[in-house]
Amino acid sequence: MKPIIGITMDVSKEKQYVLNNTYIQAIQQAGGFPFPIPTGMEEEQEQLIEMLDGLLLTGGGDINPLLFGEEPHRQLGEVSPSRDSIEVTLAQKMLNLDKPILGICRGEQVLNVAIGGDLYQDIYAQNEKDILQHIQKAPRGHLTHYVQVEKGSLLESIVGQTELQVNSYHHQAVKQVPKPFRIVGIASDGIVEAIESTAHRFVIGVQWHPEELVAFNDTASCRLFEKFIKSCKKGGIDK
Ligand code: MN
């Protein structure tokens, strides 16, 4: 049996559910059973949690800053309270059961907010030093900036490298990361690009988009998805 991976969806202004096919394909390629989760699943959440073997928190718009105790900065983008709500709830419940979570872009930020951390609402307006171009103008498969990976981290053991080249599509980022999580990836300008839990078997958040790179056979991205799916199977992975 393939492990069932819940994949969170967005909802558009036209009231359509939105999910890039690259998330589905990356999960399938790694051996998982993709299960898209629409917003508004609050009533079904208990059954959902029981059914899922893993959770993929996907990319998207900004997170309501009231969730981490701040009022909206002028550069805050579009927020989706219904999506915030289901994603934060699912993340917390999966963490309580030690079921694997992979958070991508906004998903990494959701993960950090779910454990009581906070975010830069806008990395450009809220940093004094020069910040790299994190909203790349290159195509999604192009690798534009470096990430230093923490030695000895779960992420390093998975990707097998201490320096990655990644794509980048964000103007928000994780700020303070509470324990038992830690920062395991950082860009040359100091922006946090990856976090992981030290208390769960597989909970990783990355600020870049590995699902876009799987199709290009990017080694680190393929390994990240493969190990995620492996850890969702009964028995998990050897660390
Ligand atoms: Mn970046």
Side-chain angles (χ1 to χ4, degrees), residues 47-92:
Q47 193 179 339
L48 200 51
I49 289 297
E50 202 176 309
M51 191 185 81
L52 296 180
D53 297 305
L55 177 66
L56 175 57
L57 297 165
T58 58
D62 289 354
I63 296 170
N64 176 6
L66 292 175
L67 292 175
F68 50 94
E70 290 182 13
E71 291 189 280
H73 185 275
R74 66 181 184 280
Q75 296 290 8
L76 179 74
E78 221 171 284
V79 297
S80 167
S82 62
R83 188 177 174 194
D84 289 342
S85 163
I86 188 70
E87 287 188 330
V88 167
T89 304
L90 288 178
Q92 288 169 342

Tab-separated table of all heavy atoms in Angstrom, residues 47-92:
chain	number	residue	atom	x	y	z
A	47	GLN	N	-11.105	12.596	11.097
A	47	GLN	CA	-11.027	11.438	10.199
A	47	GLN	C	-9.851	11.565	9.244
A	47	GLN	O	-9.158	10.595	8.924
A	47	GLN	CB	-12.340	11.310	9.423
A	47	GLN	CG	-12.504	9.984	8.711
A	47	GLN	CD	-13.819	9.880	7.964
A	47	GLN	OE1	-14.768	10.599	8.274
A	47	GLN	NE2	-13.875	9.001	6.997
A	48	LEU	N	-9.651	12.802	8.791
A	48	LEU	CA	-8.567	13.105	7.858
A	48	LEU	C	-7.213	12.755	8.486
A	48	LEU	O	-6.378	12.078	7.881
A	48	LEU	CB	-8.644	14.606	7.541
A	48	LEU	CG	-7.981	15.166	6.304
A	48	LEU	CD1	-8.374	14.398	5.062
A	48	LEU	CD2	-8.352	16.638	6.160
A	49	ILE	N	-7.014	13.206	9.711
A	49	ILE	CA	-5.758	12.973	10.419
A	49	ILE	C	-5.485	11.484	10.604
A	49	ILE	O	-4.364	11.009	10.458
A	49	ILE	CB	-5.805	13.680	11.802
A	49	ILE	CG1	-5.719	15.186	11.625
A	49	ILE	CG2	-4.698	13.201	12.719
A	49	ILE	CD1	-4.439	15.663	11.016
A	50	GLU	N	-6.552	10.766	10.895
A	50	GLU	CA	-6.416	9.328	11.096
A	50	GLU	C	-6.010	8.636	9.796
A	50	GLU	O	-5.198	7.729	9.773
A	50	GLU	CB	-7.765	8.787	11.572
A	50	GLU	CG	-7.677	7.476	12.316
A	50	GLU	CD	-9.047	7.074	12.828
A	50	GLU	OE1	-9.722	7.906	13.477
A	50	GLU	OE2	-9.443	5.940	12.547
A	51	MET	N	-6.577	9.123	8.689
A	51	MET	CA	-6.371	8.508	7.387
A	51	MET	C	-4.980	8.797	6.802
A	51	MET	O	-4.401	7.965	6.115
A	51	MET	CB	-7.439	9.071	6.458
A	51	MET	CG	-7.598	8.398	5.142
A	51	MET	SD	-8.822	9.344	4.197
A	51	MET	CE	-7.803	10.665	3.590
A	52	LEU	N	-4.464	9.993	7.078
A	52	LEU	CA	-3.228	10.419	6.418
A	52	LEU	C	-1.993	9.762	7.032
A	52	LEU	O	-1.889	9.616	8.243
A	52	LEU	CB	-3.056	11.943	6.516
A	52	LEU	CG	-4.099	12.818	5.817
A	52	LEU	CD1	-3.771	14.289	6.034
A	52	LEU	CD2	-4.188	12.496	4.332
A	53	ASP	N	-1.044	9.404	6.144
A	53	ASP	CA	0.255	8.909	6.599
A	53	ASP	C	1.279	10.034	6.631
A	53	ASP	O	2.329	9.922	7.259
A	53	ASP	CB	0.752	7.807	5.662
A	53	ASP	CG	-0.170	6.600	5.682
A	53	ASP	OD1	-0.413	6.070	6.781
A	53	ASP	OD2	-0.679	6.213	4.613
A	54	GLY	N	1.005	11.116	5.898
A	54	GLY	CA	1.910	12.261	5.856
A	54	GLY	C	1.165	13.477	5.351
A	54	GLY	O	0.079	13.359	4.775
A	55	LEU	N	1.753	14.652	5.593
A	55	LEU	CA	1.112	15.910	5.181
A	55	LEU	C	2.101	16.764	4.407
A	55	LEU	O	3.236	16.977	4.863
A	55	LEU	CB	0.622	16.671	6.424
A	55	LEU	CG	-0.018	18.041	6.181
A	55	LEU	CD1	-1.338	17.904	5.413
A	55	LEU	CD2	-0.257	18.762	7.513
A	56	LEU	N	1.672	17.226	3.240
A	56	LEU	CA	2.470	18.165	2.453
A	56	LEU	C	1.776	19.522	2.506
A	56	LEU	O	0.662	19.686	1.991
A	56	LEU	CB	2.584	17.670	1.004
A	56	LEU	CG	3.288	18.581	0.005
A	56	LEU	CD1	4.707	18.919	0.434
A	56	LEU	CD2	3.323	17.937	-1.377
A	57	LEU	N	2.426	20.483	3.160
A	57	LEU	CA	1.903	21.853	3.226
A	57	LEU	C	2.492	22.612	2.047
A	57	LEU	O	3.709	22.725	1.929
A	57	LEU	CB	2.304	22.515	4.552
A	57	LEU	CG	1.746	21.877	5.827
A	57	LEU	CD1	2.515	22.385	7.057
A	57	LEU	CD2	0.255	22.189	5.971
A	58	THR	N	1.642	23.114	1.182
A	58	THR	CA	2.101	23.657	-0.104
A	58	THR	C	2.344	25.172	-0.051
A	58	THR	O	2.030	25.833	0.934
A	58	THR	CB	1.054	23.363	-1.196
A	58	THR	OG1	-0.186	23.940	-0.802
A	58	THR	CG2	0.883	21.870	-1.407
A	59	GLY	N	2.852	25.685	-1.150
A	59	GLY	CA	3.120	27.116	-1.278
A	59	GLY	C	1.836	27.902	-1.522
A	59	GLY	O	0.777	27.329	-1.764
A	60	GLY	N	1.947	29.220	-1.463
A	60	GLY	CA	0.773	30.057	-1.692
A	60	GLY	C	0.999	31.464	-1.177
A	60	GLY	O	2.142	31.924	-1.082
A	61	GLY	N	-0.089	32.106	-0.825
A	61	GLY	CA	-0.038	33.506	-0.398
A	61	GLY	C	0.487	33.681	1.015
A	61	GLY	O	1.089	32.777	1.595
A	62	ASP	N	0.250	34.868	1.562
A	62	ASP	CA	0.787	35.211	2.877
A	62	ASP	C	-0.076	34.656	4.005
A	62	ASP	O	-1.215	34.250	3.789
A	62	ASP	CB	0.899	36.740	3.000
A	62	ASP	CG	2.011	37.282	2.110
A	62	ASP	OD1	2.739	36.476	1.505
A	62	ASP	OD2	2.154	38.522	2.032
A	63	ILE	N	0.506	34.671	5.199
A	63	ILE	CA	-0.194	34.155	6.384
A	63	ILE	C	-0.681	35.330	7.220
A	63	ILE	O	0.026	36.333	7.366
A	63	ILE	CB	0.750	33.239	7.188
A	63	ILE	CG1	1.116	32.018	6.332
A	63	ILE	CG2	0.112	32.816	8.507
A	63	ILE	CD1	2.216	31.172	6.891
A	64	ASN	N	-1.899	35.213	7.729
A	64	ASN	CA	-2.479	36.248	8.583
A	64	ASN	C	-1.556	36.504	9.775
A	64	ASN	O	-1.384	35.624	10.620
A	64	ASN	CB	-3.857	35.774	9.054
A	64	ASN	CG	-4.499	36.746	10.022
A	64	ASN	OD1	-3.989	37.837	10.280
A	64	ASN	ND2	-5.636	36.344	10.564
A	65	PRO	N	-0.961	37.706	9.868
A	65	PRO	CA	0.026	37.953	10.929
A	65	PRO	C	-0.574	37.962	12.335
A	65	PRO	O	0.153	37.809	13.315
A	65	PRO	CB	0.598	39.336	10.572
A	65	PRO	CG	-0.437	39.977	9.716
A	65	PRO	CD	-1.135	38.864	8.988
A	66	LEU	N	-1.880	38.106	12.431
A	66	LEU	CA	-2.515	38.037	13.757
A	66	LEU	C	-2.266	36.676	14.396
A	66	LEU	O	-2.260	36.541	15.615
A	66	LEU	CB	-4.031	38.297	13.649
A	66	LEU	CG	-4.445	39.720	13.258
A	66	LEU	CD1	-5.956	39.799	13.070
A	66	LEU	CD2	-3.977	40.741	14.292
A	67	LEU	N	-2.014	35.652	13.545
A	67	LEU	CA	-1.742	34.304	14.059
A	67	LEU	C	-0.411	34.229	14.801
A	67	LEU	O	-0.175	33.291	15.554
A	67	LEU	CB	-1.757	33.275	12.917
A	67	LEU	CG	-3.126	33.021	12.264
A	67	LEU	CD1	-2.977	32.092	11.076
A	67	LEU	CD2	-4.088	32.427	13.282
A	68	PHE	N	0.490	35.202	14.550
A	68	PHE	CA	1.727	35.236	15.345
A	68	PHE	C	1.861	36.568	16.083
A	68	PHE	O	2.954	37.043	16.376
A	68	PHE	CB	2.974	34.877	14.521
A	68	PHE	CG	3.151	35.607	13.216
A	68	PHE	CD1	3.905	36.761	13.134
A	68	PHE	CD2	2.560	35.120	12.052
A	68	PHE	CE1	4.094	37.412	11.923
A	68	PHE	CE2	2.733	35.765	10.833
A	68	PHE	CZ	3.502	36.925	10.775
A	69	GLY	N	0.705	37.145	16.370
A	69	GLY	CA	0.680	38.286	17.287
A	69	GLY	C	1.079	39.630	16.709
A	69	GLY	O	1.468	40.536	17.435
A	70	GLU	N	0.988	39.766	15.359
A	70	GLU	CA	1.325	41.061	14.747
A	70	GLU	C	0.164	41.566	13.905
A	70	GLU	O	-0.591	40.783	13.333
A	70	GLU	CB	2.560	40.907	13.841
A	70	GLU	CG	3.848	40.668	14.596
A	70	GLU	CD	5.054	40.577	13.653
A	70	GLU	OE1	4.953	40.933	12.458
A	70	GLU	OE2	6.114	40.131	14.142
A	71	GLU	N	0.094	42.900	13.816
A	71	GLU	CA	-0.872	43.496	12.897
A	71	GLU	C	-0.250	43.541	11.495
A	71	GLU	O	0.959	43.410	11.345
A	71	GLU	CB	-1.237	44.894	13.398
A	71	GLU	CG	-2.053	44.838	14.682
A	71	GLU	CD	-2.592	46.196	15.060
A	71	GLU	OE1	-1.826	46.976	15.623
A	71	GLU	OE2	-3.773	46.467	14.769
A	72	PRO	N	-1.056	43.711	10.457
A	72	PRO	CA	-0.508	43.643	9.089
A	72	PRO	C	0.457	44.781	8.743
A	72	PRO	O	0.146	45.944	8.927
A	72	PRO	CB	-1.763	43.710	8.203
A	72	PRO	CG	-2.857	44.187	9.074
A	72	PRO	CD	-2.513	43.830	10.479
A	73	HIS	N	1.634	44.400	8.264
A	73	HIS	CA	2.604	45.346	7.719
A	73	HIS	C	2.046	45.855	6.379
A	73	HIS	O	1.305	45.136	5.706
A	73	HIS	CB	3.928	44.600	7.504
A	73	HIS	CG	5.055	45.482	7.067
A	73	HIS	ND1	5.265	45.809	5.756
A	73	HIS	CD2	6.024	46.083	7.785
A	73	HIS	CE1	6.346	46.600	5.684
A	73	HIS	NE2	6.819	46.780	6.891
A	74	ARG	N	2.466	47.069	5.980
A	74	ARG	CA	1.913	47.630	4.725
A	74	ARG	C	2.243	46.777	3.505
A	74	ARG	O	1.545	46.824	2.487
A	74	ARG	CB	2.376	49.076	4.527
A	74	ARG	CG	3.853	49.217	4.293
A	74	ARG	CD	4.297	50.673	4.130
A	74	ARG	NE	5.698	50.749	3.815
A	74	ARG	CZ	6.680	50.647	4.711
A	74	ARG	NH1	6.394	50.458	5.984
A	74	ARG	NH2	7.937	50.709	4.343
A	75	GLN	N	3.316	45.999	3.584
A	75	GLN	CA	3.714	45.168	2.437
A	75	GLN	C	3.135	43.753	2.493
A	75	GLN	O	3.497	42.903	1.669
A	75	GLN	CB	5.250	45.058	2.368
A	75	GLN	CG	5.968	46.373	2.124
A	75	GLN	CD	5.758	46.915	0.721
A	75	GLN	OE1	4.957	46.389	-0.037
A	75	GLN	NE2	6.464	47.975	0.375
A	76	LEU	N	2.287	43.503	3.447
A	76	LEU	CA	1.659	42.171	3.522
A	76	LEU	C	0.822	41.945	2.263
A	76	LEU	O	0.093	42.829	1.826
A	76	LEU	CB	0.770	42.080	4.776
A	76	LEU	CG	0.039	40.744	4.961
A	76	LEU	CD1	1.004	39.652	5.413
A	76	LEU	CD2	-1.092	40.893	5.988
A	77	GLY	N	0.930	40.739	1.705
A	77	GLY	CA	0.146	40.411	0.513
A	77	GLY	C	-1.210	39.845	0.879
A	77	GLY	O	-1.696	40.038	1.999
A	78	GLU	N	-1.759	39.101	-0.071
A	78	GLU	CA	-3.099	38.534	0.131
A	78	GLU	C	-3.080	37.406	1.170
A	78	GLU	O	-2.177	36.569	1.155
A	78	GLU	CB	-3.565	37.952	-1.200
A	78	GLU	CG	-5.024	38.237	-1.474
A	78	GLU	CD	-5.363	37.827	-2.889
A	78	GLU	OE1	-4.998	38.544	-3.841
A	78	GLU	OE2	-5.983	36.763	-3.029
A	79	VAL	N	-4.051	37.401	2.058
A	79	VAL	CA	-4.148	36.309	3.026
A	79	VAL	C	-5.451	35.545	2.830
A	79	VAL	O	-6.398	36.051	2.251
A	79	VAL	CB	-4.056	36.808	4.492
A	79	VAL	CG1	-2.720	37.450	4.765
A	79	VAL	CG2	-5.189	37.755	4.816
A	80	SER	N	-5.465	34.303	3.315
A	80	SER	CA	-6.632	33.446	3.176
A	80	SER	C	-6.919	32.794	4.534
A	80	SER	O	-6.377	31.736	4.850
A	80	SER	CB	-6.349	32.382	2.106
A	80	SER	OG	-7.335	31.378	2.157
A	81	PRO	N	-7.770	33.444	5.335
A	81	PRO	CA	-8.016	32.952	6.698
A	81	PRO	C	-8.504	31.507	6.757
A	81	PRO	O	-8.100	30.756	7.652
A	81	PRO	CB	-9.096	33.912	7.226
A	81	PRO	CG	-8.910	35.150	6.424
A	81	PRO	CD	-8.482	34.696	5.064
A	82	SER	N	-9.312	31.071	5.795
A	82	SER	CA	-9.817	29.692	5.847
A	82	SER	C	-8.695	28.692	5.596
A	82	SER	O	-8.638	27.621	6.189
A	82	SER	CB	-10.942	29.496	4.835
A	82	SER	OG	-10.468	29.700	3.534
A	83	ARG	N	-7.779	29.068	4.704
A	83	ARG	CA	-6.648	28.182	4.442
A	83	ARG	C	-5.690	28.147	5.633
A	83	ARG	O	-5.222	27.083	6.033
A	83	ARG	CB	-5.910	28.654	3.176
A	83	ARG	CG	-4.879	27.680	2.760
A	83	ARG	CD	-4.167	28.030	1.483
A	83	ARG	NE	-3.091	27.057	1.308
A	83	ARG	CZ	-2.102	27.179	0.471
A	83	ARG	NH1	-2.029	28.229	-0.316
A	83	ARG	NH2	-1.176	26.257	0.391
A	84	ASP	N	-5.411	29.333	6.202
A	84	ASP	CA	-4.555	29.386	7.399
A	84	ASP	C	-5.090	28.447	8.459
A	84	ASP	O	-4.356	27.682	9.073
A	84	ASP	CB	-4.547	30.806	8.001
A	84	ASP	CG	-3.793	31.809	7.133
A	84	ASP	OD1	-3.005	31.376	6.277
A	84	ASP	OD2	-4.004	33.016	7.333
A	85	SER	N	-6.391	28.537	8.669
A	85	SER	CA	-7.028	27.810	9.754
A	85	SER	C	-6.865	26.286	9.609
A	85	SER	O	-6.398	25.615	10.528
A	85	SER	CB	-8.506	28.206	9.796
A	85	SER	OG	-9.231	27.278	10.528
A	86	ILE	N	-7.216	25.744	8.444
A	86	ILE	CA	-7.133	24.293	8.278
A	86	ILE	C	-5.680	23.822	8.283
A	86	ILE	O	-5.347	22.779	8.838
A	86	ILE	CB	-7.891	23.794	7.009
A	86	ILE	CG1	-7.969	22.269	6.953
A	86	ILE	CG2	-7.289	24.317	5.721
A	86	ILE	CD1	-8.863	21.629	7.969
A	87	GLU	N	-4.785	24.615	7.693
A	87	GLU	CA	-3.385	24.184	7.617
A	87	GLU	C	-2.712	24.178	8.989
A	87	GLU	O	-1.989	23.233	9.331
A	87	GLU	CB	-2.606	25.071	6.636
A	87	GLU	CG	-2.972	24.782	5.187
A	87	GLU	CD	-2.099	25.493	4.177
A	87	GLU	OE1	-1.606	26.606	4.490
A	87	GLU	OE2	-1.919	24.968	3.079
A	88	VAL	N	-2.945	25.225	9.767
A	88	VAL	CA	-2.339	25.291	11.105
A	88	VAL	C	-2.876	24.148	11.969
A	88	VAL	O	-2.128	23.462	12.660
A	88	VAL	CB	-2.588	26.668	11.765
A	88	VAL	CG1	-2.238	26.642	13.250
A	88	VAL	CG2	-1.778	27.754	11.052
A	89	THR	N	-4.186	23.917	11.887
A	89	THR	CA	-4.798	22.845	12.674
A	89	THR	C	-4.246	21.474	12.273
A	89	THR	O	-3.871	20.674	13.128
A	89	THR	CB	-6.329	22.841	12.473
A	89	THR	OG1	-6.809	24.138	12.813
A	89	THR	CG2	-7.011	21.818	13.346
A	90	LEU	N	-4.209	21.202	10.986
A	90	LEU	CA	-3.691	19.901	10.518
A	90	LEU	C	-2.236	19.716	10.931
A	90	LEU	O	-1.836	18.640	11.382
A	90	LEU	CB	-3.816	19.786	8.989
A	90	LEU	CG	-5.221	19.596	8.412
A	90	LEU	CD1	-5.155	19.550	6.890
A	90	LEU	CD2	-5.878	18.326	8.943
A	91	ALA	N	-1.432	20.771	10.795
A	91	ALA	CA	-0.012	20.681	11.162
A	91	ALA	C	0.123	20.326	12.640
A	91	ALA	O	0.888	19.422	13.003
A	91	ALA	CB	0.706	21.992	10.854
A	92	GLN	N	-0.634	21.004	13.498
A	92	GLN	CA	-0.534	20.739	14.939
A	92	GLN	C	-0.950	19.310	15.275
A	92	GLN	O	-0.308	18.638	16.077
A	92	GLN	CB	-1.396	21.741	15.718
A	92	GLN	CG	-0.783	23.135	15.716
A	92	GLN	CD	-1.713	24.219	16.235
A	92	GLN	OE1	-2.926	24.022	16.306
A	92	GLN	NE2	-1.146	25.368	16.584
